[in-house]
Amino acid sequence: DRLIIAVSETYDIVVTIPADKTAYEFLATPEDRTKSTSLYIGSGIKQLVAPLPKLKYFEGMKMMNGMMKMNGDLDDMGMSMSLNKMDMNVVMYPEITGETKPKTNTKMEGMKMDAEQYNANALSDITTLNYAMLKSPIKTTLPENAPVKELKFELTGNMNRYVWSLDNKVVSEADKILIKKGENVRIVLHNNSMMRHPMHLHGHDFRVLNGQGEFAPLKNVIDIMPMETDTLEFNANVDGDWFFHCHILYHMMSGMGRVFTYENQPANPEIPNPKLAQRKLFADDRKFHFMAENDFATNGNDGEAMYQSTRWSIGTEWRLGYNDMHGYETETHIGRYIGKMQWLMPFIGFDWRYRRMGEDMQERNLFGQNNTKDKRAVVSLGVNYTLPMLIVAQAEVFTDGKVRLQFERKDIPVSKRLRMSLMWNTDKEYMAGLRYIITRWGSLSSHYDSDMGFGAGFILNY
Ligand SMILES: [Cu+2]
């Protein structure tokens, strides 16, 4: 059997030890399967478990690429998923779907492919335990006749920018959720993001409505897979401000949570300064993060640095040639991401360039505008829009009257380690590049660039 335990989830498991002089291996491994630990249950001859095979990450990436609809919502193909019964990640688990392509299992015949291709228990003889199988040994029903408050949350996020939220709002952008003492609170959660989120509520155990009726299990963490909808309920019976959040700490820090608070409750003596406490909580998702990379190439240095938060972006790109003819160029954009999917980013920009062209050389852009100045320092207004296939379209108007349209797609996965980038703009500049990822922080690169020609180098990234 397999049991997938989410971050911060806890289980007490009762194991029956067979009385046949055999020690059975109990193997635990993190989800990325890089390490493992085992203990042996029973005494006698050790019965070993085969180590779990490596995940098929590339299959997982292809699966995720097919999941999103044009408006950014996830496409559940008409399956109503809940309680971990279907798991898109099975495409990455070789023990379920085989080493290379999905196993053609006799069990599959006659089943509707769409609905069952992610049902681990239909695909394999291994049993994958899920929430629908949990049952409380005692009745867990809530007080009858209590008023019911229903709350709905959509788990939202942006894989590209690593923004995580509820209903597209981070903690510091949302109000506290007011609940009344005595009422039964029902929470419906739908995961419209591409990652699993173990949602955790402080101060209460909630019932997971999993089809077990009066014996619904009590938990305080529920792991919700992409496209799943789950319903929880609890009786509001403990005063306080209680954090409800994704327990993947990176997601929590980026703002995936809410504070539940009781109406008209007495002041909490443990929080003498509520304003300060709130400011500290909000500081988490208001933090900026820094990224930078530079390609040390035979034809120059090519790089960028970004300083970004949930909504804001300050970014600089540079191209520094090794001589005046190639020139030196930087573009800085300060913008704000707009909308649920953050596909739109209006920005103000600052461009600076120095180069020395030959005396008779003139450049003309696609709109017939001349481009003669060797020194150029201009301010701009512009907008980025992310098109399908993650192509970023950029329109920019500069203070010297120039207009530029640009299309760029970075990081096209060609194979596991090979990435391609393409760029073209109306200044008739273009670039095509390949990078081969060696480690997390370094890649080999080669690119062709209309300004600086062919180059090969090494990209360092932070
Ligand atoms: Cu999360």
Side-chain angles (χ1 to χ4, degrees), residues 33 39 57 73 80 95 123 137 197 324 331 379 388 405:
R33 303 182 172 187
L39 59 85
Y57 280 117
D73 285 342
S80 38
E95 72 277 18
L123 291 168
H197 302 286
D324 288 358
E331 293 179 17
V379 175
L405 289 177

Side-chain angles (χ1 to χ4, degrees), residues 385-402:
Y385 191 81
T386 306
L387 298 168
M389 316 285 290
L390 297 175
I391 296 166
V392 177
Q394 185 178 85
E396 212 171 350
V397 184
F398 300 91
T399 43
D400 60 1
K402 295 251 159 53

Side-chain angles (χ1 to χ4, degrees), residues 9-27:
E9 251 188 331
T10 58
Y11 281 99
D12 293 317
I13 298 172
V14 178
V15 181
T16 309
I17 303 168
D20 61 357
K21 294 200 165 33
T22 309
Y24 290 87
E25 184 175 0
F26 181 99
L27 178 117

Side-chain angles (χ1 to χ4, degrees), residues 164 193 195-199 246-248 250-252 256:
W164 301 104
S193 81
M195 284 198 77
R196 314 161 64 122
H197 302 286
M199 297 302 297
C246 175
H247 218 300
I248 293 174
Y250 313 115
H251 295 186
M252 182 187 79
M256 192 167 205

Side-chain angles (χ1 to χ4, degrees), residues 433-451:
L434 286 172
R435 71 154 72 182
Y436 185 81
I437 300 164
I438 296 169
T439 71
R440 263 185 310 175
W441 49 265
S443 320
L444 289 173
S445 76
S446 79
H447 67 270
Y448 185 83
D449 171 318
S450 54
D451 282 348

Side-chain angles (χ1 to χ4, degrees), residues 163-164 170-175 250-256 275-290 307-313 336:
V163 169
W164 301 104
V170 294
V171 172
S172 69
E173 294 170 330
D175 291 328
Y250 313 115
H251 295 186
M252 182 187 79
M253 296 282 285
S254 95
M256 192 167 205
K275 279 247 164 69
L276 178 70
Q278 190 183 58
R279 215 180 312 138
K280 280 189 171 172
L281 178 70
F282 288 2
D284 276 353
D285 67 53
R286 288 174 171 167
K287 270 185 194 144
F288 277 75
H289 58 268
F290 180 70
Y307 192 58
Q308 295 192 322
S309 70
T310 305
R311 310 285 173 203
W312 291 97
S313 168
R336 184 178 165 88

Side-chain angles (χ1 to χ4, degrees), residues 113-155:
M113 192 59 194
D114 274 358
E116 294 300 323
Q117 62 180 322
Y118 302 119
N119 182 344
N121 290 335
L123 291 168
S124 158
D125 295 331
I126 299 170
T127 300
T128 302
L129 304 172
N130 62 52
Y131 291 140
M133 299 169 180
L134 287 176
K135 187 178 178 182
S136 169
I138 51 163
K139 284 187 186 177
T140 58
T141 44
L142 302 183
E144 282 175 49
N145 307 323
V148 175
K149 166 171 278 175
E150 186 167 296
L151 301 166
K152 285 193 170 135
F153 295 101
E154 193 177 294
L155 314 185

